[in-house]
Amino acid sequence: MQDQALGEPVPEGRATLWGVLFVIAAFTILVVSITWLAALNEIRHDRESTDSVSRQQAADLVRAFEARLIDRMERINHALVEMGDELSWELSAQELMTAARMPMRGRLSGLVHGIPQDGLIEVSIMDSSGLLVDSTLPERESEHRHGWEPFRVHRNRPAGIREERTFIAKPEFLPGPQRWSLTFTRRVNGPDGEFAGVLAFSYDPVLFTRLAGDLPIGEKGSVSIIGNDRVLRMLHTQRVDPLRRQWIGRELPADRPYFDPDRPAADVVPIVSAIDQSRMLGAFRRMTHCPLIVAVHLSQEEIFAPVDERARFLIKTTGLFTGILVLFTSGLAALVLHLHRTRAALGTANRRLRENELELEQRVAERTDALERSNEHVQRLAYHDTLTGLPNRALFADRAAHALHCAAADGRGLAMLFLDLDHFKMVNDTLGHRTGDELLVEVAGRLRGAIRPSDTVARMGGDEFVILAEGLAGTREAANEAAHRAERILEELSRPMLLDGHTLHVSGSVGIAVYPDDGTDAASLLKNADTAMYAAKQAGRNTMRFFSPSMTRAAEQRLALEHALRKAIDAGELSLVYQPKVSVATGALCGVEALVRWRHPERGWIPPVEFIPVAEETGLIEPLGAWVLEEACRTIAGWDAARLGPLHVAVNVAAAQVNRGDLTGLINSLTRRHRIDPTLLEAEITETAVIGDTARAFTTLNSLRSLGVSVALDDFGTGYSSLIYLRRLDIDTIKIDRSFLGDAQSGSRDAEIIRQMIKLAKTLQLSVVAEGVETADQVAFLKDAGCDIMQGYHIARPMPLADLRAWVAARRPAPTVPERPALLAAS
């Protein structure tokens, strides 16, 4: 395939391109279609399964309640039959005439011992005229009830028909005790079968609601007993429902399915509640031994609530997957198109270059082939680094001596470039030495590609490399040419590296020494290039510096700073200051962040930005971090919580403390020694603490949380993997980096990013702390965005402990002191 820009047609390549794009589009449509069909089918199946299970559950519940009700009613009916038989011999027509003068009053009291007592309100008997003859209620007066429905039913039964069923009256509301009564009645016959009266048992309907008390009907479900006359006799709900209770004793609409004679005696049907119009699943059974219907109603809203929740989650997940897939395939299509164009452009250039290379290689091969075969093995072992294959220190010294001799002879320029990788120790500490070795091999390969064939790149040890640039165009032009080489090297290193499943962004610091201005021998040039490299690191890393005599003094000062820092921890030169964190909504104190400060006996205050990097590079960060934790615990233990309120202290924890030391054991020991509550401590970590040995980091952070120590993710939003670890880490708080808040103007991109961060944290039930709050406008923005906590110079600068106590005391409301009488002083 040829590049069309050079005038050569590429019909075959263009057809292949469109074919690949078609396959990507077809694959996307197919996967999205299958995914949505599977999701919708799962939702449908879930609803059908839930409906089937709920129908079976409703049928089982109504069957269980019917069995309990039958058992209870059989006991009541049995008691009615026995008492009625016993009274029938005493209530002859003649006796009933005398009974009008109430001679039987009190007779029932001796018979009720065989009656089920649970929920019993009254036992009463009426004679054939409807006069109340006796009652178990002493205060009940005699009255005629000949118009009462149960009395009329029993009296009007044709003579000679044996009565087999107990009559269940409509519920009555008793105004005295303010409760409902459900009465069971039975006809009493005289010795000759004539109508002698009616025996009645009155029960509290609560007796029957207890039968359904343990049935799982849900908050909105109900269990009811309905007569064939459509009158609601009992209604049970799990919670008090005055609206439904008002229907007791009233007739239900005739369109209810359990009144339809064409339906089976037992069925489960969807139904709309006649009481509150809610959608229910109703199961009913018509009882065969009495004119009653038992019904169980389950709320369809409660039944399908979990199904609807799962459906919403599935739809959201499927939609998210669809969006990610479309973005991925769109990017893939764009990449394919870009590769097609790049390949077409490079095709011709590669062929031309290959032709020149082949001609050159043929000439060189004829002269050097024999020599290379004989010396290659020895040279590799004696003069090359075994890991990277680069020249080692010995071979570099030999080449440097030769280059210096040639430079002195022909007056050409020469430069040494000393390269040290930035934060390589952190890669070893977090990702392990294997990944560190792979990184060194990758860097070596990129350095080879960034220099001229006549230059030499060597590995001096660790993460240090030296490039010897020879044949420069004179001493005056050597500096410019060396700078160009350094820029090319830094550019090559800046490209991301994929190593062992991790995408790394690597940078380096380069120091340059030029012959003869910065030295006339290899040792001097190498030492001065090393000094310049440290100056580049001091300038912020990922840059280059030329050697100058003043750098020697700076290197000596840095070494002196390292020695002084080692002594400062034990000499008491370090101290802590505390910056308050307050609630955005109320302004109340939420805690403080402990920050370390160093007062050198000669130099005075040394800023943290100057000594913290030295501590990290030299390994002093671990004893320094342990000292900070000790001081924070001592501050909490000595805090006057009764007067000033509890003090929550946040401490920054370095990656080395998380991945190497026993951080959990240290904090547990400190909190026990100072007798403080671990919940008053918060560990602030950055993602660099977990991007290496993630398993160990997660174990350490989880054990901290098990102690009660809360965990905050610091500088959130500045790393390339913050969202990954926000999903995987079990943390309590995220701290939005101050770099976002500085440009968070209304409607700006940073403002919208902060709002989305806060929404994400709220969704994950995390609290949010905004750092670097310096203006009232920023406070108003954070309050509108829903941020929880803020800190910064607008609230308070970091302050010593004594000033913090005064600051907190000044903000707390003064206690109310009763007015005291004036005292007269004697003169």
Side-chain angles (χ1 to χ4, degrees), residues 636-647 680 812:
I636 295 173
W639 186 258
D640 188 359
R643 183 173 67 89
L644 301 176
L647 182 67
L680 297 176
R812 290 179 65 83

Side-chain angles (χ1 to χ4, degrees), residues 314-638:
L314 191 57
I315 290 174
K316 290 180 181 178
T317 304
T318 306
L320 179 61
F321 171 77
T322 301
I324 293 174
L325 180 63
V326 170
L327 289 176
F328 172 77
T329 53
S330 299
L332 182 62
L335 179 61
V336 169
L337 184 61
H338 175 73
L339 290 176
H340 170 76
R341 292 173 177 173
T342 303
R343 189 180 299 111
L346 292 177
T348 302
N350 285 338
R351 279 190 299 276
R352 293 174 181 174
L353 180 60
R354 192 175 302 113
E355 291 173 358
N356 295 333
E357 289 177 351
L358 290 174
E359 182 179 356
L360 179 60
E361 288 174 358
Q362 184 176 2
R363 294 180 181 179
V364 173
E366 293 173 355
R367 299 177 182 180
T368 62
D369 197 27
L371 181 61
E372 286 181 355
R373 284 195 301 270
S374 62
N375 293 330
E376 182 178 359
H377 184 65
V378 175
Q379 292 286 344
R380 180 62 56 185
L381 293 177
Y383 296 107
H384 289 81
D385 177 54
T386 56
L387 176 64
T388 62
L390 293 177
N392 59 13
R393 186 182 293 268
L395 180 57
F396 178 80
D398 180 72
R399 291 187 179 179
H402 176 73
L404 286 169
H405 177 75
C406 294
D410 59 18
R412 298 184 66 82
L414 179 148
M416 282 192 186
L417 286 72
F418 198 111
L419 168 68
D420 185 270
L421 300 182
D422 297 332
H423 304 297
F424 177 75
K425 185 175 182 296
M426 182 180 298
V427 175
N428 268 343
D429 291 343
T430 57
L431 300 182
H433 289 281
R434 187 181 72 175
T435 303
D437 289 345
E438 292 180 4
L439 173 60
L440 293 175
V441 172
E442 177 67 19
V443 169
R446 295 193 180 189
L447 290 177
R448 289 191 188 97
I451 63 174
R452 298 182 311 173
S454 60
D455 295 340
T456 299
V457 56
R459 182 187 177 206
M460 307 303 288
D463 61 331
E464 297 177 340
F465 299 85
V466 178
I467 296 91
L468 178 64
E470 303 181 53
L472 305 183
T475 56
R476 293 184 179 182
E477 304 299 331
N480 291 333
E481 294 191 33
H484 289 313
R485 282 170 172 72
E487 290 174 354
R488 176 70 184 278
I489 290 171
L490 294 178
E491 181 181 353
E492 283 294 318
L493 292 179
S494 66
R495 291 188 291 110
M497 302 181 185
L498 181 61
L499 302 175
D500 197 19
H502 301 278
T503 301
L504 301 183
H505 296 264
V506 179
S507 63
S509 300
V510 180
I512 304 173
V514 179
Y515 168 86
D517 296 342
D518 300 329
T520 57
D521 59 87
S524 299
L525 289 172
L526 189 63
K527 176 178 177 296
N528 292 337
D530 185 21
T531 301
M533 181 273 295
Y534 276 106
K537 285 189 176 294
Q538 292 292 327
R541 295 182 171 85
N542 194 27
T543 187
M544 61 179 173
R545 284 293 183 271
F546 284 92
F547 172 77
S548 66
S550 62
M551 290 181 181
T552 303
R553 293 191 298 272
E556 293 172 351
Q557 290 174 358
R558 182 185 180 281
L559 183 61
L561 182 66
E562 178 184 339
H563 291 308
L565 182 58
R566 294 183 182 276
K567 299 177 182 178
I569 299 176
D570 297 327
E573 299 174 10
L574 301 178
S575 63
L576 292 184
V577 293
Y578 304 88
Q579 186 172 37
K581 299 187 292 184
V582 301
S583 169
V584 176
T586 65
L589 179 67
C590 299
V592 297
E593 180 178 0
L595 304 169
V596 65
R597 295 293 185 264
W598 179 16
R599 187 181 183 89
H600 192 276
E602 298 177 359
R603 294 179 55 186
W605 291 107
I606 299 178
V609 70
E610 185 174 342
F611 68 84
I612 292 295
V614 174
E616 291 176 340
E617 293 174 6
T618 59
L620 290 174
I621 194 66
E622 291 185 64
L624 177 60
W627 181 88
V628 172
L629 284 169
E630 172 88 30
E631 288 300 306
C633 291
R634 183 178 289 112
T635 296
I636 295 173

Side-chain angles (χ1 to χ4, degrees), residues 272-287:
V272 177
S273 172
I275 299 175
D276 57 7
Q277 303 305 310
S278 59
R279 296 176 61 83
M280 313 291 287
L281 184 64
F284 67 90
R285 294 182 69 87
R286 299 191 189 100
M287 300 180 65

Side-chain angles (χ1 to χ4, degrees), residues 117-138:
Q117 300 293 314
D118 189 15
L120 181 64
I121 299 175
E122 177 189 12
V123 178
S124 60
I125 186 168
M126 289 169 287
D127 64 9
S128 60
S129 67
L131 178 65
L132 180 65
V133 175
D134 196 3
S135 171
T136 56
L137 296 179

Side-chain angles (χ1 to χ4, degrees), residues 31-45:
V31 172
V32 169
S33 301
I34 293 175
T35 302
W36 276 103
L37 287 175
L40 296 177
N41 183 65
E42 178 66 19
I43 293 172
R44 179 189 59 79
H45 179 268

Side-chain angles (χ1 to χ4, degrees), residues 77-91 107 111 125 162-163 186-191 199 201:
N77 185 58
H78 180 71
L80 278 169
V81 171
E82 285 190 350
M83 183 175 289
D85 291 343
E86 186 171 350
L87 291 173
S88 67
W89 295 100
E90 300 180 14
L91 292 177
R107 175 71 178 103
L111 301 177
I125 186 168
R162 178 173 177 79
E163 186 173 25
R186 194 170 185 90
R187 171 174 171 145
V188 179
N189 294 325
L199 176 63
F201 291 174

